[in-house]
Amino acid sequence: MGLNLTQKIIKSHLLSGEMKTQNQISIRIAQTLTQDATGTMAYLQFEALGVPRVKTELSVSYVDHNTLQEDFKNPDDHEFLRTIAAKHGIVFSRPGNGICHQVHLERFGKPGKTLLGSDSHTPTGGGIGMLAIGAGGLDVAMAMAGSPYTLKMPGVVKVVLTGELPPWVAAKDIILEVLRRDTVKGGVGFVYEYSGPALKNLTVPERATITNMGAELGATSSVFPSDDVTLNFLKAQGREKDWIRLEPDTDAVYERELYIDLSKLEPMAACPHMPDQVKTIRELEGLEVQQVAIGSCTNSSFVDIARVACILDGKQVSPNLSLGISPGSRQVLMNIAEKGYYQKLVKAGARILECTCGPCIGQGFAPPTAGVSVRTFNRNFEKRSGTPDAKLYLVSPEVAAVAAIAGKFTDPRKFGEYPKVQMPEKFSIDDSMIIYPNADGSKVEIKRGPNIAPLPLGTPMPSELKGETLIVTGDNITTDHIMPAGKYLPLRSNVPEYAKHVFEGVDKEFPARAKKVGGGFIIGGENYGQGSSREHAALCPMYLGVKAVIVKSFARIHLANLVNFGILPLTFKNPDDYSKISLGDQLSIDVSNLKGNVTVKNITKNQGYEVSHPLSDRDIEIIKAGGQLSYEKMKSCA
Ligand code: MIC
Ligand code: SF4
């Protein structure tokens, strides 16, 4: 029986376990990436592991999230990241060099390799044929220290793309179509593998738009084969030596198949407040727009921005809105400047923002009150933009540019001729904002600003967990709900301060209540913890004394983060039990035998609920020790 692409890459990195769907396996991680908002914690954790040099083939530390620098906190963190990278053998991409996923694709990604990144959009690397997985910072720290990465062998969905994209229909519309069909939780436990005759017309950056936003399906990753298109991209980056051909076997087997005829697609948008709330632009036609934002790791490549420039050429941005453009990398910025596109954007009235995440993570350029913001990004969760009542729509750069001119949603197919923009045969390349570490970093002094608080450690779990129900949430709770980013991002290195904002947008009283009663339990619905990889959504609740999270189902990365920080993740055997628990109910759980049947006792209501968990024996040991770091410490003392 032949192997699919996912199985091929896993097989060549497999360290233990059998490649059977849902089996626990562990793989060698070839490359890692971190970004600053998760990176400071990841490197503090790496430091705590006591390994002098990273053991991966390549580890890169990017600064792209926290770049506004309103005070000392962010620049201090940048200094910490720069110096700790030099000490431990990590490549450092300086602030201003670009968004981690875009730069990694351009300069470092290699077909056939594994990549683990402390950011949920790490699967962007699948656009170049990598098996690229998002994880919590601690998992990335462990991988840098040479530990295997443990995961459940994913099932593989084959997405067969046929036909050709009509003019004004873009790669973004392909992933919106997948989201429309499979929803934000349909991908949990799967890798989406793209194939079919249409691939030859999809460039690497277009493929990367699709694999990037595959994160919104809850998928483990998404991957494209490495073919001649991949070779051309690597040639244009002066990296053809990194190319290998990598395709699935012709008799490969898949769990499920999805067929999309590209010629039948039309321009679409994900409507507030979830990426799977997809409608056609025809349905939204005429809706007034107050802001347009073009950029983010989903749609900020050279062709994306150049095409926007061609659409805006000779026109003016509508006086009723503001258009912000953040090119994905310094390379994109330099190339659009050299080829005259930058000038067109500025002339049309676009506001050029830094090459960073920017408005995507609520770092500046917030929409006006109740404003409709049309964005080429990947997430439209409520409050993420910094304006609590803004309405965020996710679209292609084409749709965004036309809306910027018209001031309202307009079917771009009415706009005129579709501008043809070719990917350059050779990009103009300048790596001078990438700092490579010296062979010996032992003398480097690490700079630690006052914002960097010591890493909190969990304590061993007692045999019975007892406490109060601190919150009962609904379905699809995102990590942005649990641990808001935006204006609080500079607190990422300071858990005691950041923990004051847990669940702020959902229930402002949560941190005070948790502190007052000495911690307790979180009750939730389906797909709890979807979205970002931020481990603070586990770390800060742990700091506030949360002992267990009991839900209908979990998102993958958040589940792993809960284990890493010693919080017991449980799922209701009977989903109806969820509605029987109320805020303030006293609960107790006998955890002396987590391998047997586990019951949550509701002392207040005198009820019992059967629960299960997806934990391996090792996960149980980790939770009992109070989390991964405490577990590692215990192991090294034993
Ligand atoms: C996001 O898009 O939500 C982020 C900000 O990039 C996060 C990482 C973080 O919270 O630092 C992600 O996607 O993992
Ligand atoms: Fe940055 Fe937005 Fe991409 Fe997250 S989704 S890495 S915040 S650009």
Side-chain angles (χ1 to χ4, degrees), residues 541-585:
M542 173 198 92
Y543 181 79
L544 295 176
V546 170
K547 301 168 175 41
V549 179
I550 312 159
V551 299
K552 291 187 192 168
S553 67
F554 285 103
R556 179 187 65 87
I557 306 179
H558 186 60
L559 174 67
N561 284 336
L562 289 173
V563 174
N564 280 347
F565 294 100
I567 297 179
L568 183 62
L570 297 172
T571 47
F572 291 104
K573 278 195 180 159
N574 174 6
D576 293 341
D577 285 342
Y578 155 83
S579 50
K580 296 182 186 156
I581 307 178
S582 319
L583 185 69
D585 282 359

Side-chain angles (χ1 to χ4, degrees), residues 39-54:
T40 48
M41 277 295 143
Y43 294 111
L44 286 174
Q45 287 155 348
F46 177 77
E47 218 177 12
L49 295 171
V51 176
R53 291 294 274 193
V54 288

Side-chain angles (χ1 to χ4, degrees), residues 129-411:
M130 305 189 86
L131 185 67
I133 303 178
L138 182 48
D139 281 329
V140 176
M142 299 284 297
M144 287 191 286
S147 296
Y149 177 62
T150 307
L151 75 162
K152 288 222 164 103
M153 178 70 196
V156 183
V157 180
K158 181 184 191 184
V159 190
V160 185
L161 304 180
T162 58
E164 238 183 274
L165 283 173
W168 298 101
V169 183
K172 184 64 156 278
D173 298 305
I174 302 177
I175 186 62
L176 288 176
E177 174 64 11
V178 181
L179 271 155
R180 190 184 70 77
R181 295 194 198 178
D182 275 13
T183 80
V184 289
K185 58 181 200 303
V188 177
F190 290 101
V191 170
Y192 282 64
E193 199 170 299
Y194 288 82
S195 66
L199 292 201
K200 61 178 184 307
N201 298 321
L202 287 177
T203 63
V204 165
E206 287 175 308
R207 295 174 179 193
T209 293
I210 296 169
T211 55
N212 172 284
M213 209 171 165
E216 273 51 70
L217 295 158
T220 305
S221 194
S222 300
V223 62
F224 277 78
S226 174
D227 52 13
D228 292 345
V229 174
T230 323
L231 176 60
N232 287 342
F233 177 77
L234 284 169
K235 269 191 189 151
Q237 291 290 344
R239 298 206 289 126
E240 54 269 43
K241 62 171 192 339
D242 289 339
W243 183 77
I244 54 162
R245 186 174 292 282
L246 191 65
E247 279 159 350
D249 291 332
T250 43
D251 56 346
V253 178
Y254 297 84
E255 217 96 3
R256 195 153 67 80
E257 295 189 0
L258 211 67
Y259 287 82
I260 304 180
D261 178 353
L262 304 193
S263 60
K264 300 237 162 69
L265 293 182
E266 58 177 299
M268 290 183 276
C271 303
H273 299 287
M274 280 290 147
D276 59 1
Q277 299 303 302
V278 177
K279 285 192 177 158
T280 61
I281 301 300
R282 267 186 307 128
E283 291 171 272
L284 298 167
E285 179 100 15
L287 176 65
E288 278 190 24
V289 173
Q290 281 77 43
Q291 180 190 69
V292 175
I294 294 173
S296 93
C297 56
T298 321
N299 272 124
S300 57
S301 68
F302 170 81
V303 174
D304 282 338
I305 309 291
R307 182 164 294 128
V308 167
C310 295
I311 297 169
L312 293 176
D313 192 15
K315 313 234 166 18
Q316 214 49 49
V317 169
S318 161
N320 302 333
L321 60 76
S322 227
L323 165 65
I325 300 182
S326 8
S329 67
R330 182 166 163 269
Q331 185 189 90
V332 171
L333 182 59
M334 286 176 51
N335 280 269
I336 59 163
E338 276 172 23
K339 297 193 169 55
Y341 295 114
Y342 188 97
Q343 184 80 350
K344 296 186 201 302
L345 298 173
V346 175
K347 269 195 163 166
R351 295 166 60 182
I352 310 294
L353 311 175
E354 254 195 301
C355 305
T356 58
C357 302
C360 178
I361 193 58
Q363 290 289 294
F365 203 66
T369 300
V372 168
S373 174
V374 170
R375 326 185 124 201
T376 65
F377 307 168
N378 48 34
R379 288 190 174 142
N380 56 351
F381 303 146
E382 209 174 353
K383 304 192 174 96
R384 185 173 161 102
S385 66
T387 303
D389 55 1
K391 296 176 196 70
L392 315 180
Y393 291 78
L394 309 173
V395 302
S396 66
E398 287 83 339
V399 169
V402 171
I405 299 164
K408 54 187 183 201
F409 270 104
T410 307
D411 190 333

Side-chain angles (χ1 to χ4, degrees), residues 501-541:
H501 305 283
V502 175
F503 277 121
E504 187 162 286
V506 183
D507 177 355
K508 242 186 154 31
E509 303 308 316
F510 181 90
R513 185 183 308 130
K515 271 215 141 156
K516 188 166 156 225
V517 298
F521 302 97
I522 293 173
I523 309 298
E526 299 279 7
N527 200 23
Y528 180 86
Q530 71 158 319
S532 134
S533 68
R534 67 191 68 148
E535 57 192 355
H536 300 79
L539 184 49
C540 293

Side-chain angles (χ1 to χ4, degrees), residues 484-498:
K487 63 180 179 207
Y488 301 128
L489 264 190
L491 301 179
R492 282 293 176 87
S493 317
N494 190 334
V495 171
E497 280 305 310
Y498 198 24

